[in-house]
Amino acid sequence: MAGFSGVLRLSDLDDFIAPSQECVKPVKVESKTGRGVIQIEDDTIHSTPKYEKAKITLNDCLACSGCITSAEVILVNQQSHEEFYRVIAENEHECKRKVVVVSLSPQAILSIAAKFSLSPDECTQKLAGYFKKIGASYVFDINLARSFSLLEASKEFIERYKRKDSDPKAFPMLASACPGWICYAEKTHGSYILPYISTARSPQQVMGALVKDFWAGKNDISADKIYHVTLMPCFDKKLEASRDDFVNELCSSREVDCVLTPVELEQMLIRDKVDLSQMTEAPLDESLSSGPRLLSHPGSGSGGYAHHVFVNAAKELFQQDVMELQWKTLRNADFREVTLEVAGEVVLRFALAYGFRNIQNLVQKLKRGKSPYHYVEVMACPSGCLNGGAQVRPESTSSTKELISQLETTYSLLPTTSIDSDSRINMCYSEWLGGADSEKAVKLLHTKYKAVEMSTNALGIKW
């Protein structure tokens, strides 16, 4: 690292995948104009230029495999609550004013609700009240976005099933909503594993398209005049929002400008001297929200991808109405499977694989051609999104296991939204996207992945 700025030095990276390494990305540093140190030699005046500090962003880390990180310990300029406060402060100046929109994930809401001993609905409306108090104009939940994500994943699965005999990489189809898993796949297994991964966007990024394309158009607001913030249970969602794929091309504006997490929200509440339990409630804004109550989708606390795809595939492919899925635990509680039998033959075999121990076993089976599954809901965190790396940690009087159990129970008791009865979905497909199979629908509801070539010098690893 000789010759590089100390700002580029990343040490003590905490990750499931690789030992601590130093960032190897070279950064060109531009000199600053202005006064520097004056040296006089042989009657000649030399001005030593000042240099800007070199900075790395999450986007740099996505494009470089010099290190593999879980994004939790990287200093990110554009993905922090400090940046959020900066934009809020700038809104006091009319010439720089932006419309601040906040989108809330149910997993993050439940984590905060547990911290402050609030019901899910109370917490949702108190969060809306808090964000509006400090400068947000609109607050939505992301259930509508998740409905699109589930529908597109289900449609993709049906298409893969119909071509399974001619496409050796049609199955297993692997869920794409977890950015930690996606980053690991791109950097560690590259082009081998990527064809198996669903192209459906995650709810966060569908919400980005809804806010900066659909909602912005409806309200005659330019996308670059909107500052879109999401509250998510995972630091890796910052990685996802930083991808170049998720930019509004008309005005080069990121669809999600800033990702906040429950642990950061705790810091914000302390900074603002706010007791959330005493906060005045405010309703969610209606146009993109599911309603006055916090809702969920049936299935796992990670969004119910396997559940939705399984139920719809059983109905469409085999005319079977499946109401309840009977999951069977295999190696551990984070690896479960469910099957559908028709005439004594297993026609669908789905799995949940949470945590890198199970993910690595899944990948090894795939490489040996031994995976029996048609679909796998893959999440990097053990226990899934309710145990995301940025969720509020348990109090000293309870354990992580107890907290996760509490959150899972609370999530299971949330009323569920019905995708079939949500009239906004058909309206969006027809009026906004120009049809479910249109070019615009593919562009705004799907994405692509790319292998990242390994460039690390193994001798440079810090053990």
Side-chain angles (χ1 to χ4, degrees):
M1 292 293 289
F4 288 97
S5 165
V7 178
L8 285 177
R9 190 177 295 273
L10 300 178
S11 59
D12 297 324
L13 298 182
D14 181 17
D15 196 85
F16 294 99
I17 307 165
S20 295
Q21 302 177 39
E22 290 182 339
C23 178
V24 299
K25 181 177 176 62
V27 176
K28 181 180 179 181
V29 184
E30 300 292 346
S31 62
K32 290 177 63 177
T33 58
R35 294 188 303 170
V37 178
I38 303 298
Q39 296 178 336
I40 301 178
E41 297 178 0
D42 299 329
D43 296 325
T44 302
I45 297 178
H46 301 279
S47 178
T48 303
K50 284 187 174 182
Y51 291 93
E52 294 281 3
K53 284 185 178 180
K55 299 176 181 178
I56 58 169
T57 67
L58 285 180
N59 207 41
D60 295 320
C61 293
L62 282 172
C64 166
S65 56
C67 58
I68 302 173
T69 76
S70 57
E72 296 157 41
V73 292
I74 296 177
L75 178 62
V76 188
N77 291 321
Q78 294 181 338
Q79 293 285 350
S80 69
H81 59 288
E82 296 296 336
E83 177 69 7
F84 174 69
Y85 279 120
R86 185 191 66 78
V87 172
I88 293 294
E90 283 190 351
N91 268 357
E92 296 179 4
H93 307 285
E94 191 64 33
C95 63
K96 295 184 178 181
R97 189 168 183 80
K98 291 193 174 185
V99 178
V100 178
V101 177
V102 180
S103 301
L104 309 175
S105 76
Q107 293 89 355
I109 292 172
L110 293 189
S111 178
I112 297 161
K115 168 68 177 180
F116 292 95
S117 300
L118 299 169
S119 73
D121 291 333
E122 286 177 327
C123 187
T124 301
Q125 295 188 32
K126 287 180 183 294
L127 284 172
Y130 168 68
F131 278 114
K132 288 186 176 182
K133 179 181 178 180
I134 64 174
S137 301
Y138 299 89
V139 180
F140 303 118
D141 65 37
I142 67 163
N143 276 311
L144 177 61
R146 179 174 284 115
S147 292
F148 279 106
S149 187
L150 293 171
L151 284 167
E152 292 300 310
S154 181
K155 183 170 69 175
E156 182 182 358
F157 180 84
I158 299 297
E159 293 170 353
R160 286 179 180 239
Y161 199 95
K162 291 178 178 178
R163 69 170 192 264
K164 62 183 174 65
D165 293 333
S166 60
D167 183 357
K169 290 199 173 183
F171 291 132
M173 178 171 144
L174 307 176
S176 56
C178 173
W181 147 242
I182 295 298
C183 191
Y184 167 73
E186 288 183 321
K187 291 187 175 184
T188 310
H189 300 285
S191 56
Y192 179 85
I193 205 75
L194 298 184
Y196 294 104
I197 300 177
S198 169
T199 63
R201 283 195 187 197
S202 74
Q204 172 176 275
Q205 297 312 136
V206 174
M207 195 67 188
L210 281 167
V211 168
K212 290 216 175 179
D213 195 280
F214 171 69
W215 184 84
K218 284 282 187 182
N219 291 275
D220 196 25
I221 305 173
S222 175
D224 62 341
K225 298 299 182 183
I226 298 173
Y227 187 70
H228 183 205
V229 182
T230 61
L231 181 66
M232 291 286 150
C234 175
F235 287 112
D236 288 344
K237 284 294 179 182
K238 296 174 186 284
L239 272 174
E240 183 176 64
S242 298
R243 295 178 76 97
D244 287 337
D245 311 82
F246 303 132
V247 174
N248 183 291
E249 294 180 351
L250 292 178
C251 51
S252 299
S253 171
R254 291 202 179 278
E255 294 169 335
V256 176
D257 297 288
C258 182
V259 179
L260 300 177
T261 63
V263 293
E264 289 171 295
L265 183 72
E266 274 193 291
Q267 297 172 31
M268 292 170 65
L269 293 171
I270 293 171
R271 168 176 168 166
D272 295 335
K273 298 180 181 179
V274 170
D275 180 354
L276 191 64
S277 62
Q278 301 300 314
M279 189 71 212
T280 301
E281 296 180 5
L284 293 174
D285 291 281
E286 293 182 359
S287 54
L288 295 181
S289 297
S290 297
R293 300 194 63 190
L294 181 64
L295 305 177
S296 70
H297 290 83
S300 72
S302 296
Y305 292 90
H307 180 101
H308 183 84
V309 175
F310 188 94
V311 169
N312 280 272
K315 177 70 173 179
E316 184 162 340
L317 295 171
F318 304 104
Q319 295 72 54
Q320 300 289 314
D321 290 316
V322 179
M323 303 304 294
E324 297 290 336
L325 273 61
Q326 303 299 318
W327 290 96
K328 178 182 178 182
T329 300
L330 299 182
R331 300 184 192 87
N332 51 71
D334 280 331
F335 197 98
R336 291 175 284 162
E337 73 169 31
V338 63
T339 60
L340 175 70
E341 290 190 15
V342 175
E345 177 188 359
V346 174
V347 292
L348 292 177
R349 188 183 297 273
F350 280 35
L352 305 179
Y354 295 167
F356 277 105
R357 174 177 55 170
N358 290 319
I359 288 174
Q360 288 166 341
N361 286 333
L362 172 68
V363 169
Q364 291 306 314
K365 280 195 171 185
L366 264 175
K367 288 188 171 182
R368 295 196 302 266
K370 300 292 186 181
S371 174
Y373 298 108
H374 296 99
Y375 183 91
V376 185
E377 183 178 299
V378 185
M379 300 291 162
C381 292
S383 300
C385 294
L386 289 172
N387 185 39
Q391 295 280 71
V392 178
R393 296 299 95 185
E395 302 289 348
S396 58
T397 55
S398 63
S399 67
T400 300
K401 184 176 180 180
E402 290 171 335
L403 177 58
I404 295 170
S405 178
Q406 176 190 342
L407 295 179
E408 288 174 342
T409 298
T410 305
Y411 189 92
S412 68
L413 294 176
L414 291 175
T416 56
T417 182
S418 172
I419 294 178
D420 294 336
S421 62
D422 192 338
S423 60
R424 297 173 301 172
I425 292 174
N426 288 333
M427 182 272 290
C428 283
Y429 272 124
S430 60
E431 296 182 16
W432 172 41
L433 299 170
D437 299 316
S438 69
E439 182 178 337
K440 187 173 182 180
V442 172
K443 179 181 178 181
L444 295 182
L445 301 180
H446 291 261
T447 188
K448 296 179 181 179
Y449 312 105
K450 53 186 178 295
V452 179
E453 297 299 326
M454 295 302 293
S455 60
T456 301
N457 177 358
L459 296 177
I461 295 176
K462 287 175 61 180
W463 294 91

